């Protein structure tokens, strides 16, 4: 067992933040040998239950759940900050040429290692990430994640048309490769597989149909893709799939909307699409830095809530501009405030933080497993320093309540705030 004394942030079942200014977190093995949270709460109220247990004194710091990134592309680590004229030119000029290099396992592994270093530096302990169309890129990422003990989900990109040689796959072989990767990796240690059509325009009907068949055959495997990011892309999808009711409807028609299906962006949806997301248990990965960078549009939180959709926050690197959950939460706040194309609103600091931890885990179907520090959750957490910079120290010293403390960290925080990232009870 291990115990830590510090301020402590968790979330209740309604997504409300729970805060102990002088808290205690106790971690240790559960009956299955997993390193989990055994107790969390007020130090004075709990410490008497653990006589003789050494407690690491981290007072002055905030312990919070490790962040969950709902959508990121590890092979685009080096594409971050690429100047392009919107989504489709960005894919053509930067992303596809770069991704073609991931047929080389050694190259893929080297990028995966750097990517995981970055996630840990930024306090991200679970990620749902794209690989490339090359099976080697999946093996490389899983191998690196397994060695680090990460809870991690990825999958081979399916893209059998409308993309160049070097990243385009073959329909039959792509489905055979996907099934082989599911059998090799899904459920091994903390790893999970995601069936990964890049987006509808780069897959034939046959490939999407095959992906849907695999999704039905392996119901606890994840599905990830993109939908309704940008208006040019929406028009293109409508031309390619004239029989589907909408872009989201394409995925529905091929059996790709269900629990554990996560779609990045979800900006240009209509009411019927949102109801379909809610009804099927499909979740949105909101990617605000990417959407602002590429000028794609603004996710409508109020409409998503009205429909009862699940969602969480995502960096979407390399379309996104930062691995930092703090930058992503701040960008989500900007996107919420935007009131010209939709209703503007002010997301509270607690809501923003929940969307990048407990809420994102729930969207993945991993509620109670990661993304929170309630008893039984896996012991993935971060130790944050609210005085990491002079301005943060000055701001957080003046914070009169939890909202003010969390918002100071969201607006002014970055990797300098993250003093320690703990994966399954062990310091990363
Ligand atoms: Zn993406």
């Amino acid at each position: 067992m291990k115990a830590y004394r510090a301020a402590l942030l968790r979330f209740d079942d309604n997504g409300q933040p729970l805060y102990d200014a002088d808290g205690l977190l106790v971690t240790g093995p559960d009956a299955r040998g997993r390193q989990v949270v055994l107790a969390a709460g007020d130090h004075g109220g709990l410490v008497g239950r653990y006589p003789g247990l050494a407690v690491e004194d981290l007072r002055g710091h905030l312990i919070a759940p490790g962040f969950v990134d709902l959508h990121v592309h590890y092979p685009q680590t080096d594409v971050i900050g690429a100047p392009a004229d919107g989504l489709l030119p960005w894919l053509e000029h930067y992303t596809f040429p770069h991704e073609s290099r991931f047929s080389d396992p050694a190259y893929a592994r080297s990028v995966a290692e750097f990517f995981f270093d970055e996630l840990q530096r930024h306090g991200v302990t679970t990620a749902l990430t794209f690989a490339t169309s090359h099976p080697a890129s999946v093996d490389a990422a899983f191998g690196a994640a397994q060695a680090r003990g990460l809870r991690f989900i990825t999958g081979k990109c399916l893209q059998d048309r409308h993309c160049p040689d070097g990243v385009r796959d073959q329909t039959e072989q792509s489905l055979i490769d996907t099934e082989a990767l599911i059998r090799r990796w899904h459920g091994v240690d903390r790893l999970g597989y995601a069936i990964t059509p890049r987006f509808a325009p780069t897959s034939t009907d046959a490939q999407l149909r095959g992906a849907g068949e695999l999704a039905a055959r392996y119901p606890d495997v994840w599905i990830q893709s993109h939908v309704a990011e940008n208006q040019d892309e929406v028009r293109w999808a409508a031309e390619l799939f004239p029989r589907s009711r909408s872009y989201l409807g394409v995925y529905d028609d091929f059996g790709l909307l269900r629990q554990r299906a996560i779609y990045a962006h979800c900006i240009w949806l209509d009411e019927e699409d949102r109801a379909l997301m809610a009804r099927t248990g499909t979740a949105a990965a909101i990617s605000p830095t990417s959407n602002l960078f590429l000028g794609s549009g603004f996710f409508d939180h109020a409409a998503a809530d009205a429909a009862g959709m699940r969602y969480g926050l995502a960096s979407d690197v390399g379309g996104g501009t930062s691995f930092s959950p703090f930058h992503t939460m701040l960008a989500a706040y900007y996107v919420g405030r935007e009131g010209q194309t939709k209703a503007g609103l002010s997301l509270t600091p607690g809501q923003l933080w929940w969307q990048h931890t407990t809420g994102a885990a729930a969207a993945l179907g991993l509620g109670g497993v990661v993304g929170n520090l309630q008893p039984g959750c896996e012991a993935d957490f971060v130790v944050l320093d609210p005085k990491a910079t002079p301005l943060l120290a000055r701001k957080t010293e003046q914070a009169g309540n939890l909202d003010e403390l969390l918002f100071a960290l969201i607006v002014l925080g970055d990797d300098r705030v993250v003093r320690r990232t703990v994966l399954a009870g062990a310091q990363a």
Side-chain angles (χ1 to χ4, degrees):
M1 278 199 288
K2 287 182 186 162
Y4 310 86
R5 183 177 187 179
L8 187 60
L9 177 69
R10 298 168 286 150
F11 291 90
D12 71 12
D13 292 344
N14 300 314
Q16 295 303 309
L18 299 170
Y19 180 68
D20 295 287
D22 183 13
L24 184 72
L25 178 71
V26 182
T27 68
D30 68 1
R32 290 153 55 195
R34 297 179 314 148
Q35 290 291 324
V36 299
V37 175
L38 298 174
D42 177 60
H43 176 267
L46 275 178
V47 73
R49 284 199 230 159
Y50 299 94
L53 179 63
V55 177
E56 184 177 354
D57 191 344
L58 293 169
R59 277 178 286 180
H61 293 80
L62 172 65
I63 291 181
F67 291 101
V68 176
D69 190 335
L70 262 194
H71 176 79
V72 57
H73 299 250
Y74 98 80
Q76 293 176 16
T77 298
D78 294 312
V79 179
I80 195 167
D85 194 16
L87 171 69
L88 300 176
W90 175 85
L91 280 171
E92 183 185 341
H93 297 305
Y94 287 99
T95 302
F96 287 147
H98 189 75
E99 288 192 6
S100 68
R101 301 177 65 183
F102 284 73
S103 57
D104 172 1
Y107 181 72
R109 179 71 181 234
S110 73
V111 176
E113 296 289 1
F114 183 86
F115 169 80
F116 290 128
D117 285 348
E118 280 296 292
L119 292 192
Q120 286 167 25
R121 233 162 46 71
H122 287 283
V124 176
T125 52
T126 288
L128 172 62
T129 168
F130 271 53
T132 65
S133 55
H134 315 95
S137 74
V138 177
D139 289 327
F142 275 135
Q146 186 179 35
R148 292 167 189 248
L150 267 171
R151 184 166 278 286
F152 174 71
I153 307 163
T154 192
K156 177 204 127 51
C157 243
L158 297 166
Q159 46 187 51
D160 65 350
R161 66 167 174 176
H162 295 147
C163 53
D165 290 348
V167 295
R168 195 175 56 253
D169 59 14
Q170 301 290 326
T171 312
E172 274 300 307
Q173 191 59 43
S174 72
L175 299 167
I176 292 167
D177 288 343
T178 295
E179 187 160 25
L181 288 164
I182 291 171
R183 291 189 170 168
R184 188 176 312 149
W185 292 109
H186 184 70
V188 174
D189 295 341
R190 304 179 80 200
L191 309 176
Y193 193 84
I195 297 165
T196 307
R198 179 170 213 110
F199 64 149
T202 48
S203 285
T204 58
D205 284 29
Q207 193 176 45
L208 291 173
R209 191 172 303 112
E213 286 165 7
L214 287 170
R217 199 174 312 149
Y218 297 97
D220 68 336
V221 159
W222 282 269
I223 298 166
Q224 61 177 343
S225 191
H226 300 89
V227 73
E229 175 176 2
N230 153 312
Q231 287 180 298
D232 290 340
E233 170 213 11
V234 172
R235 274 190 288 272
W236 192 25
E239 285 166 25
L240 293 170
F241 299 95
R243 286 197 299 278
S244 292
R245 193 199 72 80
S246 67
Y247 185 176
L248 186 74
V250 175
Y251 298 114
D252 191 38
D253 293 344
F254 289 105
L256 291 165
L257 301 184
R258 61 154 166 74
Q259 306 266 345
R260 295 197 165 202
I262 312 287
Y263 284 80
H265 309 303
C266 299
I267 293 169
W268 304 100
L269 301 183
D270 62 18
E271 289 314 302
E272 215 169 309
D273 289 326
R274 291 190 183 93
L276 179 61
M277 297 270 303
R279 194 164 65 242
T280 54
T282 303
I286 307 169
S287 307
T289 72
S290 170
N291 299 153
L292 294 170
F293 180 69
L294 291 170
S296 301
F298 304 91
F299 183 82
D300 190 338
H301 270 90
D305 283 341
M309 269 170 63
R310 290 178 171 186
Y311 53 76
L313 293 181
S315 69
D316 192 29
V317 166
T321 53
S322 176
F323 285 109
S324 173
F326 299 101
H327 290 181
T328 299
M329 291 188 285
L330 178 57
Y333 181 80
Y334 295 153
V335 166
R337 285 298 315 151
E338 190 278 336
Q340 314 303 313
T341 66
K342 59 170 181 61
L345 47 76
S346 294
L347 294 164
T348 67
Q351 287 168 335
L352 290 163
W353 211 291
W354 177 86
Q355 287 178 42
H356 223 340
T357 55
T358 311
L364 281 172
L366 291 175
V369 179
V370 291
N372 207 350
L373 291 175
Q374 298 288 37
C377 290
E378 294 173 355
D380 289 349
F381 62 91
V382 289
V383 178
L384 305 178
D385 179 3
K387 296 185 167 50
T389 70
L391 182 57
L392 256 175
R394 193 177 169 91
K395 246 336 252 186
T396 56
E397 192 130 282
Q398 297 173 45
N401 56 44
L402 180 63
D403 271 1
E404 290 177 7
L405 171 66
L406 296 183
F407 208 46
L409 287 164
I410 289 168
V411 174
L412 300 172
D414 54 31
D415 52 308
R416 290 171 292 181
V417 167
V418 181
R419 279 296 148 89
R420 192 187 298 182
T421 299
V422 176
L423 296 171
Q427 186 167 349

